Amino acid sequence: MTRHLAIAMAFAASLFTAAPAHAHAFLDHANPAVGSTVPAAPADIALWFTEHIEPAFSTATVTNAAGERVDRGDAHVAADNPAELQLGLKPLPPGTYTVHWHVVSVDTHTTEGTFSFDVGR
Amino acid sequence: MDAFIVAIRTLHFAACASLAGVGAFECLIADPALDGSATAADLSRRLNSLAWISLALAVISGLGWLAGVAADMSGQSLGGVFGSGAVGTALMHTRIGEDWRLRSALVVLLALCLAWNRRRGRFAGDVAWIGLALSVLLLASLAWAGHGAADEGTDGTIHLVADLLHLLAAGAWLGGLAPLALLLTAARRDSASGMTAAAATTRRFSLLAVVSVGVLLASGIVNTWYLAGNVPALIGTLYGRLLLLKIALFLAMLTIAAVNRLRLTPRFDGTDAHAALARLRRNALIESGLGLGILAIVGVLGVLPPGLHTEPIWPLPFRLVVSALSTGALVMLLIFAIGFCVCGAVAVAAFAAGWKRPLGAAFIGLIVCVAFGGAPAMPALVAAYPTTFFAPSAPYNASAVDRGAVIYAQNCAACHGADGRGDGPAAAGLPTKPANLVQPHLFAHTPGDLFWWVSHGYGSVMPGFDGVLTPTDRWSVIHFIRARAAGVIASGMGPAVSTIAAAQVPDFAFESGGVQDTLSQVLAEGPALLVLFGADAPIARLQQLGAAQLKLIAAGLPVVAIGVNGASQGAVTNPPYVVGLSAKVAAMLSLFRNDSDGGETELMLDRNGNVRVRWTASGGGLATPETLAADALTVARFSGAAPNHAGHGG
């Protein structure tokens, strides 16, 4: 009885708090991590999304503080993970870099966002 | 652009539902009920025409939808997508394109079936069943174009199946209404056998409608959970409110269906059968209109982000804190809630059937449930604000806390005090004492409550910072206040595992063995042990933990050791577990360690970063690896509070 009540309470509480979130591809995490400082220049960047994304319409760019493109323009979805976008980078001198991503989830919704990371100290 | 997609989606849903509805009506309703009657031949032709019109509309709207989606995905104009090849790319290289190629094949086969049936000029037969199967597949395949398609794993499967069932049940009921109206029109013309035919078909259709309504309810609840799965998202977002409007239209349809079934159908055997038939036909048309309204809402919902992805504006001045209800009160509340639903259902049925006394009783029951059900909830009602259920727009992490500390010192410390105890230099001259911000009571308020007060002030004393600080800065100061209070709460904890998730450590980035890592990534696997130390690294302790590494790994307990005094970082020559981090992170973590703790403070965190156990070198001593492993297994069972959706990423 107590157990059932506990379950009922948990369910009632859950109505006001958590529920699974779905349907739009948002950035889950990235490497280099969002807002992080990496000591050495990375050769590429990987972005993991919360949903599978459409290779034909998903892309990302990386720019330096002056607004110049520093990526290799080869954004592509990882062969082994339909939710991971990879992008090669030119050799990066120390500085702050901005990643802009624009992806379409497989249910056709478009999302985009921006974050930055630092190279060197 | 959005208006175009909404219109085209509405049309496509209606056309596909109509195709499946006509097929189901022919095979399941009209053929068994009308076998060989004069009405049958006439109706067969009309239904075939309706199917052709629906098919044509489905093709046109399907093409328009693909073009609209291609324009949306590629960022081009609707006119430009054909020339640029974006439609081709969408058709050949995306998941929705794959779906559309399959659906085109279904359309061609369906057209062949319709042509064959037209030539024969009668119902059913094998080809009609094949046509029904094709139109069901055409409707069902729309589920892959919806939100359910993006989910993965068990949740994805459940959502997809619910979507499928919802579509099919909607097709059978909504799509069958127009054929029903056609049949009733035909029956009116052919009065002799027509009436018997109308009565027989209506009864069969009612049965189909009852089954469909049950399926719609069950699958609708599942879909609501996945897309607007909590009360704030349901009543506080446009998506949720449209969903409620859709449910209201559905209930109106249900009431009319109940009138048809309980009041009109029985009159078919009586003297005023013709009047009943006319009213039934009119009701079928009204239901069709309501059904179109529902499909239009579905069209809009598809282009809106689901309720769970937008900030809910809480419309009420209060909210219910379920955890503050006593068990007895919760049971009472559940009983009255169930009673309210039962009385509502009885009221609808009694109204439809024209039973006066049950209707009165049901109304009294509804009033009783509201009056008495509200009472046990009263103590659990607390003040709420429009932003109460907002998720922070900046993640709860070290850099936000660092930024928040600076903002706090400049804007808040004068009254609330440098330590947050409500005793700043300006506090003495105020008519009301400023709030103590390091009490556990702080966590009785949602971050959104604090956001409202920081933005709009509190009472007549605290000013609002709406025009002074950006929203991100306001969230940052809230993160700082909550992190500091969490540190104070944690410092009161001891070596017994706490069952309450009270003190959440903010996320932070660190470097370990040349690899970037974050606390949230470590916690994604389960609990973790944070070892915080001051100027001197506790080499002996770290070597002890290092020797027990295998045991701790087996218990699922990673160890992260951090010198919160930034200067000590360089002096440490690579003992096990010690990680490198920035001064900002060190400053944030020093909120969770007091110098009076002695050498080191060890915190065991659950998967959401809440401190569950705390050991200090001075008070009570540190845990043996055996105790750590045992506690890790206990802590791994806590799910804690779910992190906010806006908690990570950009």
Side-chain angles (χ1 to χ4, degrees):
Chain A
M1 184 62 191
T2 325
R3 194 186 153 79
H4 288 142
L5 273 176
I7 293 169
M9 295 217 44
F11 175 73
S14 75
L15 290 179
F16 283 86
T17 54
H22 300 279
H24 281 57
F26 291 105
L27 184 63
D28 186 66
H29 64 281
N31 188 19
V34 173
S36 66
T37 302
V38 287
D44 47 33
I45 180 164
L47 302 137
W48 285 268
F49 292 91
T50 54
E51 310 288 349
H52 292 180
I53 55 176
E54 288 292 0
F57 292 103
S58 298
T59 188
T61 57
V62 182
T63 50
N64 62 17
E68 294 155 349
R69 287 277 294 269
V70 295
D71 61 87
R72 297 190 184 278
D74 60 347
H76 59 277
V77 173
D80 57 345
N81 182 358
E84 180 188 343
L85 192 67
Q86 297 171 337
L87 178 62
L89 297 173
K90 295 172 182 165
L92 302 184
T96 299
Y97 295 91
T98 303
V99 182
H100 180 79
W101 52 267
H102 176 103
V103 301
V104 176
S105 59
V106 291
D107 61 351
T108 76
H109 293 287
T110 308
T111 45
E112 59 185 322
T114 300
F115 69 90
S116 59
F117 66 91
D118 291 336
V119 172
R121 292 171 193 250
Chain B
M1 182 62 221
D2 269 2
F4 172 77
I5 292 257
V6 167
I8 213 88
R9 279 171 53 96
T10 306
L11 188 60
H12 196 70
F13 275 116
C16 291
S18 174
L19 273 172
V22 170
F25 194 85
E26 278 192 20
C27 294
L28 302 173
I29 313 286
D31 182 46
L34 299 182
D35 198 23
S37 78
T39 316
D42 179 31
L43 185 65
S44 160
R45 256 195 317 280
R46 286 167 189 278
L47 288 184
N48 196 269
S49 302
L50 184 58
W52 276 112
I53 295 168
S54 303
L55 189 68
L57 288 177
V59 168
I60 294 166
S61 56
L63 265 178
W65 188 343
L66 187 67
V69 163
D72 202 30
M73 292 197 295
S74 63
Q76 297 169 357
S77 73
L78 196 55
V81 290
F82 289 98
S84 71
V87 169
T89 309
L91 187 65
M92 299 314 293
H93 298 290
T94 66
R95 180 125 126 217
I96 190 176
E98 201 177 306
D99 194 23
W100 249 237
R101 296 202 302 271
L102 171 80
R103 305 184 76 231
S104 307
L106 289 175
V107 163
V108 171
L109 293 175
L110 191 52
L112 290 176
C113 287
L114 288 180
W116 174 272
N117 269 0
R118 179 111 188 151
R119 216 160 51 84
R120 286 203 318 166
R122 70 171 192 82
F123 283 134
D126 298 339
V127 177
W129 281 99
I130 294 170
L132 172 60
L134 290 169
S135 61
V136 161
L137 285 176
L138 188 66
L139 182 62
S141 59
L142 277 172
W144 276 271
H147 284 129
D151 299 347
E152 289 158 48
T154 318
D155 276 344
T157 311
I158 295 171
H159 192 180
L160 198 58
V161 168
D163 254 2
L164 275 175
L165 292 174
H166 205 74
L167 279 167
L168 294 184
W173 190 25
L174 286 182
L177 288 168
L180 181 69
L182 280 179
L183 169 99
L184 296 175
T185 312
R188 273 215 304 191
R189 255 183 253 117
D190 170 23
S191 58
S193 63
M195 202 56 67
T196 340
T201 7
T202 312
R203 283 202 190 93
R204 285 189 79 92
F205 187 73
S206 297
L207 188 66
L208 180 74
V210 166
V211 173
S212 299
V213 164
V215 173
L216 284 171
L217 271 177
S219 54
I221 288 170
V222 172
N223 283 345
T224 306
W225 166 253
Y226 278 110
L227 294 170
N230 57 33
V231 175
L234 201 56
I235 68 175
T237 64
L238 180 60
Y239 189 93
R241 289 171 191 174
L242 279 174
L243 206 53
L244 290 176
L245 179 63
K246 184 183 168 206
I247 292 168
L249 289 182
F250 173 74
L251 291 178
M253 282 185 73
L254 209 53
T255 309
I256 297 175
V259 169
N260 293 347
R261 182 71 193 90
L262 298 172
R263 201 189 295 187
L264 298 179
T265 316
R267 279 163 51 186
F268 278 0
D269 304 326
T271 48
D272 59 347
H274 264 96
L277 190 75
R279 282 193 58 188
L280 194 62
R281 182 171 159 274
R282 192 198 61 191
N283 283 357
L285 291 175
I286 295 174
E287 281 180 88
S288 298
L290 291 172
L292 267 182
I294 287 180
L295 290 178
I297 293 175
V298 172
V300 177
L301 290 178
V303 301
L304 288 178
L308 284 174
H309 290 306
T310 39
E311 295 299 353
I313 309 286
W314 184 251
L316 303 173
F318 56 84
R319 66 188 167 99
L320 183 70
V321 183
V322 176
S323 56
L325 283 171
S326 68
T327 309
L330 184 74
V331 171
M332 291 269 285
L333 207 58
L334 286 178
I335 290 173
F336 282 113
I338 293 167
F340 185 85
C341 293
V342 170
C343 288
V346 171
V348 168
F351 167 77
W355 304 323
K356 295 242 163 49
R357 243 183 242 181
L359 184 61
F363 266 114
I364 292 169
L366 284 175
I367 293 166
V368 167
C369 287
V370 171
F372 289 86
M378 283 301 177
L381 293 182
V382 300
Y385 308 91
T387 62
T388 287
F389 292 100
F390 271 30
S393 63
Y396 182 60
N397 63 21
S399 59
V401 169
D402 173 70
R403 187 185 175 91
V406 175
I407 296 164
Y408 181 88
Q410 290 166 353
N411 297 280
C412 319
C415 296
H416 288 286
D419 293 338
R421 297 185 186 282
D423 54 1
L430 295 174
T432 329
K433 191 179 174 330
N436 180 340
L437 299 175
V438 290
Q439 283 183 320
H441 175 73
L442 182 77
F443 293 96
H445 300 291
T446 67
D449 285 343
L450 303 181
F451 187 76
W452 183 262
W453 292 324
V454 172
S455 302
H456 302 286
Y458 189 87
S460 56
V461 182
M462 175 168 160
F465 291 83
D466 201 356
V468 183
L469 300 172
T470 64
T472 306
D473 282 351
R474 278 173 266 158
W475 283 119
S476 297
V477 81
I478 289 165
H479 286 331
F480 166 69
I481 289 167
R482 286 169 64 90
R484 182 177 56 189
V488 171
I489 292 174
S491 70
M493 295 170 74
V497 178
S498 164
T499 55
I500 304 164
Q504 193 185 14
V505 176
D507 193 16
F508 58 87
F510 59 86
E511 186 197 307
S512 171
V515 179
Q516 284 280 311
D517 211 343
T518 61
L519 179 67
S520 56
Q521 280 181 55
V522 172
L523 294 174
E525 310 292 325
L529 186 73
L530 272 192
V531 179
L532 305 178
F533 55 88
D536 304 313
I539 305 290
R541 172 61 172 171
L542 291 171
Q543 279 165 350
Q544 183 194 11
L545 292 174
Q549 194 170 23
L550 285 179
K551 186 191 289 282
L552 296 178
I553 287 173
L557 189 72
V559 178
V560 178
I562 293 164
V564 298
N565 177 347
S568 67
Q569 292 296 317
V572 177
T573 50
N574 203 29
Y577 301 127
V578 174
V579 300
L581 33 69
S582 68
K584 282 180 188 178
V585 176
M588 181 279 286
L589 286 171
S590 63
L591 294 171
F592 290 85
R593 179 184 175 277
N594 303 322
D595 280 333
S596 62
D597 292 346
E600 61 265 37
T601 306
E602 298 190 355
L603 304 173
M604 192 180 288
L605 308 183
D606 68 21
R607 62 180 69 243
N608 291 310
N610 294 299
V611 178
R612 293 292 188 160
V613 203
R614 179 174 177 272
W615 298 273
T616 59
S618 63
L622 302 172
T624 61
E626 287 72 26
T627 308
L628 288 176
D631 284 356
L633 294 177
T634 311
V635 170
R637 284 200 286 271
F638 295 131
S639 59
N644 290 314
H645 293 315
H648 300 283

